Amino acid sequence: MAKDPRLLEPAPDWTPEERPTLPGSPAAIAHPTHRRILYFVIGLFVAICGSLSNGFITANLPLIQGEYSLTPSQAAWIPAAYVMANISSNLILFKARQQYGLRLFSEIGLVLFIAVLILHIFVHTFEMALFVRIVSGLVAAPLSSLGMYYIMQAFKRANFGRGIYLALGFQQLGIPLAWIISPAIVDVNDWAVLYTFELGLALCCLAMVVSLKLPRSLRIEVFEKQDFFTFALLAPGFAFICIVLTQGPILWWFEAKWLAYILIAGFSLIVIGLTYEHFRVNPLIMTRWLGASSTLRFIIGALAIRFLMSEQSYAAVNFLKAMGMGPDQFVSLYIVIFLGIVSGTIFSAMTFAKERIIWHLIGAEILILIACALDYHLTSDVRPANFYTSQFLVGFASGMFIGPLLLTGIINALQKGPSHMVTFVVLFSATQSFGGLIGSSFFSTYQQVRTQYHRVEIISDLPQTDPLVAQRLATYQQSSSKYTLDPALQQNQAVRNLNQVVTREAQVQAYNDVIALNGVFAVLLLIWGALNITRSKYLLRKQQLSANTS
């Protein structure tokens, strides 16, 4: 039989308004205005820094691949290491926060991250880069929570929902900000500049959280030995799934047999871990709640929305890369995305109300659908400026949906009791991480398949006997005469140039297919959401009628 957890220290004499909502969360103290401003500034800085480290890798991965002389498969391990560690960290974060305090957990993580970064400045190898990303992923989880609680301290208890909206929205600014500032700080001849900058951010975070600490919280004894056994099962299980999703589109799903074994091992570990939890007295993961219809709807909705959002990071950016765009040319686009996320976050916070949560989610889906319609009919002449409107809308949707999504899950979890919060934290982290990975993996696979299809289709329509094709080959042959006088080499170069054009146009059509498919998914999700709203209202009205008649 489950027992109540033991308090590790006497609780301060809080008023009912000041008492923390949950053990591990800071008390809601009425701070003076200047202290609220400081809490907000520190929370904003910490929240952005929590995702900025991963943003630097996302923005500079092709350059890092060249720096370490890596294959595409090896390079993919670097961002995958971050995601694997981040999901694993969330498995133990909530209980660690309740037993040891979020502040201590975060400060130890930051000190470890600083030490590893200092080491990486001197030990510049691929293995060390992977280790840095693992530690960065472990630290990012407590930093995200830390940033959220600092921002919430800037608001009165009645407005904590607005604070959550702002904190979660601003956490998404790390990736666009990394794209904006990377060209100014990345020097391919001196990578220590990037790592030194990252080190400086970590030192600033540590100085801020030490100089202005969060209010105290209730600390309770919650860890059990069985928790670590669950962690030993689920953490590698989640990691194996991440490996498959990142390596599958690169090595190709049916070519690398070891991916199948990794996938089997990952699912097996997760199933064993959840089965073990199912029969525990004080489980870390509430498996029975996971099977509830409301939870399943949340999982599907959270995964689907993050899946749709991956169109921004995959289709728009990779299309422009395929058209020859470099990091410098992405700065203006990511400024627009940055402004979109900020606008969406502020909009959702200003219009916050519990009854509007579902409408924020529906609104985000509509904006994604509009963005897909704007991005469709791409051509090889499209440049970053052509994406400003659509990507601003996707950024706005991204800032608008994340807060309502989290608050919906928190409300559902708290209705079941505080013991369900660990399950929700893991569930929310997993849906967002895996939703993004599944989206990128799926769209990458689909784009490659469609590129080959369109390439064959274009080539079949281009017989060399066609006058226009012959004219184009003659033009290419004439251009290559500047470099060689051999007619055979000139002809080969002309055919090679034509093939490059064919491949480019096939890629353009394939990215159009990706955007169209994402639009179809957005329509399906919108219909599913509308049906759920209708169903909920029908059941509520039915309950009210039965209550009135009785």
Side-chain angles (χ1 to χ4, degrees), residues 165-177 306 309 312 334-348 391-402:
Y165 277 27
L166 289 175
L168 289 171
F170 290 148
Q171 282 174 16
Q172 299 183 87
L173 294 175
I175 289 180
L177 189 60
R306 180 52 69 186
M309 290 293 176
Q312 182 178 73
Y334 273 98
I335 289 175
V336 171
I337 294 172
F338 183 92
L339 294 175
I341 295 173
V342 171
S343 302
T345 301
I346 294 174
F347 173 82
S348 66
Q391 296 312 303
F392 178 86
L393 292 178
V394 177
F396 193 98
S398 181
M400 188 168 69
F401 96 92
I402 191 74

Side-chain angles (χ1 to χ4, degrees), residues 54-71:
N54 186 42
F56 281 134
I57 297 303
T58 303
N60 299 297
L61 190 59
L63 299 176
I64 293 172
Q65 180 181 339
E67 168 70 8
Y68 292 113
S69 301
L70 305 176
T71 64

